[in-house]
Amino acid sequence: MSDGQDTNSQNKPTRQLTRDAKEIIIYFSRSGSTELLAAKLAKLTGADILEIVVDKPYSGNYHRTLSRANNERLNADYPELRMSLPDLSQYRRVYLGFPIWAMTLAHPMSSFLLEYGAALSHKQLVPFMSEGGYGQGSSVQKIAQLLRQQGVSADLYRRPLVVDGNKVDRADYQIERWLKNLG
Ligand SMILES: Cc1cc2nc3c(=O)[nH]c(=O)nc-3n(C[C@H](O)[C@H](O)[C@H](O)COP(=O)(O)O)c2cc1C
């Protein structure tokens, strides 16, 4: 799943939008773990779902991705996206899903927040993530910082769902418990 041998970029981007949903899951996933987590959340909540797509996909090779990600970080050069944002006005709650990269948000989610942050104004934002065993790092603070930087005021939930990328298939109970606390 997250061994870097496969990549999510070959699949058709997920985009399931309905007229009546009040919640939407917006996520990025390179190797499929966050995508699986997003699919489980969608099933449990009935939320709409939208995948963040980068213009130039990350390599399926883990080391090549690591090296690209390091360069992007050093240069604060976040990737261009290739997607259109639907009208978000119907949604009260937005789940934001991403993998942890270098102890913080994966770059495509930073790109998304920089490009479309204004559309998240006054919504409840609920982060969830998959990671490789080192936890959430500074990801939630980074979301807050990117929004603040743009003057976006939103209600950011500070107790994210954090799941080991290799254990998403066994995380149902954890996800359900977290959702119950979220209310
Ligand atoms: C460039 C890169 C950096 C990563 N850095 C971390 C890290 O700092 N801490 C961690 O626990 N996992 C790290 N990981 C592992 C991913 O967070 C983990 O495999 C995640 O489940 C991948 O999600 P995805 O399959 O949705 O892309 C990193 C992975 C990549 C590709």
Side-chain angles (χ1 to χ4, degrees):
M1 184 62 62
S2 45
D3 58 3
Q5 295 307 302
D6 60 354
T7 174
N8 195 31
S9 67
Q10 266 110 45
N11 303 337
K12 197 171 173 292
T14 305
R15 195 177 174 95
Q16 288 158 21
L17 306 172
T18 62
R19 242 187 20 202
D20 300 324
K22 296 287 176 251
E23 302 185 349
I24 186 169
I25 297 164
I26 299 179
Y27 73 95
F28 171 77
S29 179
R30 171 181 156 271
S31 56
S33 297
T34 310
E35 178 158 272
L36 180 58
L37 194 52
K40 284 179 180 292
L41 265 182
K43 207 167 160 193
L44 288 165
T45 59
D48 282 355
I49 182 159
L50 174 73
E51 182 171 359
I52 296 174
V53 184
V54 290
D55 186 40
K56 296 192 180 75
Y58 289 87
S59 171
N61 179 286
Y62 176 75
H63 294 285
R64 241 177 273 155
T65 293
L66 204 58
S67 134
R68 173 174 164 189
N70 284 340
N71 278 327
E72 288 176 344
R73 181 169 329 98
L74 287 172
N75 301 309
D77 179 19
Y78 299 125
E80 302 258 327
L81 304 183
R82 187 191 291 192
M83 61 184 291
S84 62
L85 189 73
D87 181 358
L88 297 186
S89 51
Q90 80 194 67
Y91 304 107
R92 276 195 309 254
R93 174 183 287 173
V94 180
Y95 296 93
L96 295 171
F98 47 87
I100 290 291
W101 285 2
M103 299 307 285
T104 192
L105 278 188
H107 298 170
M109 182 53 82
S110 298
S111 298
F112 178 83
L113 293 170
L114 285 169
E115 189 163 349
Y116 297 117
L120 303 176
S121 261
H122 306 301
K123 299 189 184 297
Q124 186 190 31
L125 305 182
V126 180
F128 70 96
M129 64 198 79
S130 76
E131 44 81 51
Y134 296 94
Q136 67 185 78
S138 63
S139 55
V140 178
Q141 293 92 311
K142 176 90 180 187
I143 294 172
Q145 180 210 323
L146 290 170
L147 293 173
R148 201 177 325 114
Q149 205 172 300
Q150 297 168 83
V152 174
S153 117
D155 169 20
L156 178 60
Y157 187 65
R158 301 282 178 158
R159 290 158 61 199
L161 174 66
V162 184
V163 180
D164 184 321
N166 293 311
K167 297 182 184 157
V168 178
D169 54 345
R170 283 164 277 160
D172 293 41
Y173 177 67
Q174 184 191 352
I175 299 168
E176 284 170 31
R177 224 177 26 183
W178 176 77
L179 276 173
K180 205 178 264 178
N181 281 330
L182 175 61

